[in-house]
């Protein structure tokens, strides 16, 4: 009999937001809006779609294992050295490589409660020790993280803006933190939502720093509209990047992902439209949630964390919205049991979402009142 290690037995399979096709099949709905995965509601970058179509004829060949052209495009765009960049199948893949390559079983990896589920999964799947500190007002508490460092801490994960809260820590706080963290501890700074935050002058744009113990990760799955392809990249010191190349799967990201990503990175018009739509749609969402009476966390990303009275309420709210064609994300598995995350959609999608949420919220509140009165 094959022996399955305890830490693998304890893992739970990743549960993503429900796909639109599955919900349509189950509920026989004609209109479905998915605002559960922080995707770009405008679709993919049109330049990326063109490039992918042109690349299709080359599918019989393995692609460039070093993603040379994509690495060069990233190095040029962000003004970093080519040997400081590596690309992977989404940030998620790179996070797994980083955890695997730079930690061993007895090491502690420190982060916050209520952050990106992917890092928890990567830490647990390699049987590493996950140490978390609470969020402070739904934001990474960098002082608490610093104070939780022990002799066994080898890595710290920060997400800025954070998912699922949308909050960000500011430049001064980040710089003070980095100045104190011992240099043998690797800091991962996950900037999946940087596009939505970097107009803020207090946003500490990680790629502009040059710390010897920091790796910055970015993704094209969100603002660049390429979640279906999944391309992520990491920027860090050359020895770190060189080691990551040794553990990375060859030919990742695949041919279409590489070509699509190169074109998307060059699509400034698409990025400007994306930011503009996000600004307008988030403003609508914020105002609409306030009108309904749903509490929310101030955001610097492309989504809002709505706070429900209880975990049970959040679960029922998410399920009822789904039954009416609105897919949201209950973020209990991220560590926020009463949180429901909703990302900015097109203006039409946002209107629809607010209508559904108002109906569902009011009827759940009415049900609760009736129960109390009975
Ligand atoms: C903070 C954060 N990091 C990374 C990712 C994963 O991105 P990718 O699709 O590149 O793996 C996400 C996706 O939700 C995220 O929210």
């Amino acid at each position: 009999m094959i022996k399955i290690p305890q830490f693998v037995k304890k893992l739970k399979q990743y549960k993503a937001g429900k796909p639109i096709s599955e919900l349509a099949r189950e509920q026989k709905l004609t209109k479905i809006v998915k605002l559960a995965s922080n995707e770009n509601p405008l679709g993919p970058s049109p330049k990326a779609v063109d490039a992918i179509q042109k690349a299709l004829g080359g599918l019989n060949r393995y692609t460039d294992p070093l993603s040379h052209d994509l690495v060069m495009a990233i190095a040029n765009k962000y003004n970093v050295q080519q040997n400081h960049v590596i690309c992977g199948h989404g940030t998620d893949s790179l996070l797994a490589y980083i955890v695997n390559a730079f930690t061993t079983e007895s090491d502690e990896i420190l982060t916050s409660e209520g952050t990106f589920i992917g890092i928890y999964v990567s830490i647990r799947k390699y049987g590493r020790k996950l140490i978390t500190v609470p969020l402070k007002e739904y934001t990474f508490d960098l002082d608490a993280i610093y104070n939780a460092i022990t002799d066994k801490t080898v890595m710290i994960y920060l997400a800025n803006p954070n998912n699922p809260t949308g909050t960000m820590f500011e430049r001064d706080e980040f710089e003070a933190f980095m100045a104190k963290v011992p240099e043998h501890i690797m800091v991962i700074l996950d900037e999946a939502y940087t596009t939505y935050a970097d107009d803020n002058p207090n946003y500490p744009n990680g790629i502009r720093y040059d710390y010897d113990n920091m790796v910055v990760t970015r993704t094209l799955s969100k603002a660049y509209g390429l979640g279906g392809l999944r391309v992520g990249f990491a920027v860090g010191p050359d020895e770190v990047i060189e080691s990551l190349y040794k553990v990375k799967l060859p030919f990742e990201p695949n041919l279409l992902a590489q070509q699509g990503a190169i074109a998307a990175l060059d699509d400034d018009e698409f990025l400007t439209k994306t930011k503009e739509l996000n600004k307008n749609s988030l403003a609508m969402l914020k105002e609409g949630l306030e009108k309904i009476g749903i509490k929310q966390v101030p955001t610097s990303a492309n989504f809002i964390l709505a706070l429900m009275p209880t975990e049970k309420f959040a679960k029922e709210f998410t399920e009822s919205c789904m039954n009416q064609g609105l897919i949201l994300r209950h973020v209990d598995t991220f560590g926020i049991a009463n949180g429901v995350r909703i990302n900015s959609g097109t203006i039409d999608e946002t209107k629809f979402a607010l209508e559904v949420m108002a109906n569902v919220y009011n009827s759940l509140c009415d049900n609760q009142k009736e129960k109390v009165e009975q």
Side-chain angles (χ1 to χ4, degrees), residues 89-92 116 157 159 163 190 192-193 219 221-222 230-232:
H89 184 56
T91 297
D92 241 348
F116 177 49
Y157 169 86
N163 174 20
D190 181 340
Y193 302 97
T219 180
S221 296
K222 310 294 175 184
R230 287 197 103 183
V231 183

Side-chain angles (χ1 to χ4, degrees), residues 81-103:
Q81 286 175 41
Q82 173 194 350
N83 57 345
H84 289 217
V85 179
I86 187 166
C87 300
H89 184 56
T91 297
D92 241 348
S93 163
L94 292 165
L95 290 176
Y97 293 145
I98 294 170
V99 169
N100 191 14
F102 300 108
T103 63

Side-chain angles (χ1 to χ4, degrees), residues 61-136:
R61 302 272 177 218
Y62 284 102
T63 189
D64 170 8
L66 299 176
S67 307
H68 175 267
D69 293 352
L70 177 55
V71 165
M72 286 311 291
I74 293 164
N76 290 335
K77 186 173 172 84
Y78 298 104
N79 204 13
V80 291
Q81 286 175 41
Q82 173 194 350
N83 57 345
H84 289 217
V85 179
I86 187 166
C87 300
H89 184 56
T91 297
D92 241 348
S93 163
L94 292 165
L95 290 176
Y97 293 145
I98 294 170
V99 169
N100 191 14
F102 300 108
T103 63
T104 57
E105 267 181 37
S106 54
D107 292 336
E108 292 179 355
I109 304 176
L110 185 53
T111 186
S112 184
E113 286 167 16
T115 188
F116 177 49
I117 191 169
I119 191 66
Y120 300 145
V121 173
S122 276
I123 294 170
R124 289 185 180 126
K125 80 179 171 197
Y126 292 113
R128 307 304 196 243
K129 289 202 182 77
L130 167 66
I131 309 290
T132 55
V133 302
L135 289 163
K136 190 168 136 198

